[in-house]
Amino acid sequence: MATQIDMGDSLPNVVADELRALIVRGTLLPGEHLGQTQLADRFGRSKVPIREALKLLAAEGFLRHDHNRGYFVAPLELEEARQLYKLRRWLEAELLATAVWPTDAQIGEFRRQFDALDAMDQVSDFTNWALALENLRLALFALSPERILLREATRLWRLTDRYRSLMPRTMGESPERKLIDALAARDRDALLADYMQARAKIEGALEQVFQHGR
């Protein structure tokens, strides 16, 4: 059974989820000012949960806060992206290195999730594709007993999703298939090698985006 990320269901968390999705999709652009009154009208909420949601997103790094001018969507910066992806590489490699080998039933569920993900159109349905990818990714890395590392990895996924949205959405098949195959074969060396190869491809594509303009 797929593991789900528990983000909580309080009103500020719900609003934060909605705003985060708009930022990741590019509906809210880097540098855009987010006024509490306008957001309250937009979402049909009072200012209190809006204010708390903005604080949550600022703490996560999605927003920048100016005490005089309010909240702004954080800019997309190559150096920030490099450091975030470097942190992901360290954490995720450790999670894979400590993963408990899955059962046949778990492998079957991973394959089912991957097939559903692979059948989705990244271009026309990016939001749902990204959510399906996150759920599969969580299920794979949750094989590790390192729960604090997993928690930090999920936080980094949300931050790097902004940068993933910049990259071409036709980069070919998602690399999770190779990871599932390596897990099924119980081949730790292949698991880590395939993971590192996939990370290098994604990080290289991101560098290209910044070099040639967004």
Side-chain angles (χ1 to χ4, degrees), residues 54-78:
L54 293 173
K55 290 179 181 178
L56 287 171
L57 293 177
E60 290 180 5
F62 281 90
L63 303 179
R64 300 281 171 84
H65 182 230
D66 183 297
H67 289 290
N68 297 318
R69 299 187 299 153
Y71 290 89
F72 297 81
V73 178
L76 295 171
E77 300 171 342
L78 178 57

Side-chain angles (χ1 to χ4, degrees), residues 21-113:
L22 292 174
I23 293 170
V24 169
R25 288 200 301 266
T27 305
L28 296 174
L29 298 174
E32 186 170 343
H33 179 254
L34 302 183
Q36 294 182 32
T37 300
Q38 290 81 1
L39 290 175
D41 291 341
R42 179 173 188 165
F43 291 111
R45 315 284 192 187
S46 71
K47 287 186 179 180
V48 174
I50 296 293
R51 188 181 306 114
E52 292 304 310
L54 293 173
K55 290 179 181 178
L56 287 171
L57 293 177
E60 290 180 5
F62 281 90
L63 303 179
R64 300 281 171 84
H65 182 230
D66 183 297
H67 289 290
N68 297 318
R69 299 187 299 153
Y71 290 89
F72 297 81
V73 178
L76 295 171
E77 300 171 342
L78 178 57
E79 187 53 38
E80 178 189 61
R82 285 172 174 161
Q83 293 183 43
L84 289 173
Y85 276 98
K86 183 183 292 186
L87 284 170
R88 275 192 57 179
R89 235 185 304 128
W90 290 342
L91 289 171
E92 291 173 8
E94 181 63 22
L95 289 169
L96 292 177
T98 57
V100 176
W101 296 123
T103 64
D104 289 345
Q106 286 175 304
I107 290 293
E109 175 60 18
F110 295 156
R111 295 197 190 284
R112 184 199 66 75
Q113 285 184 262

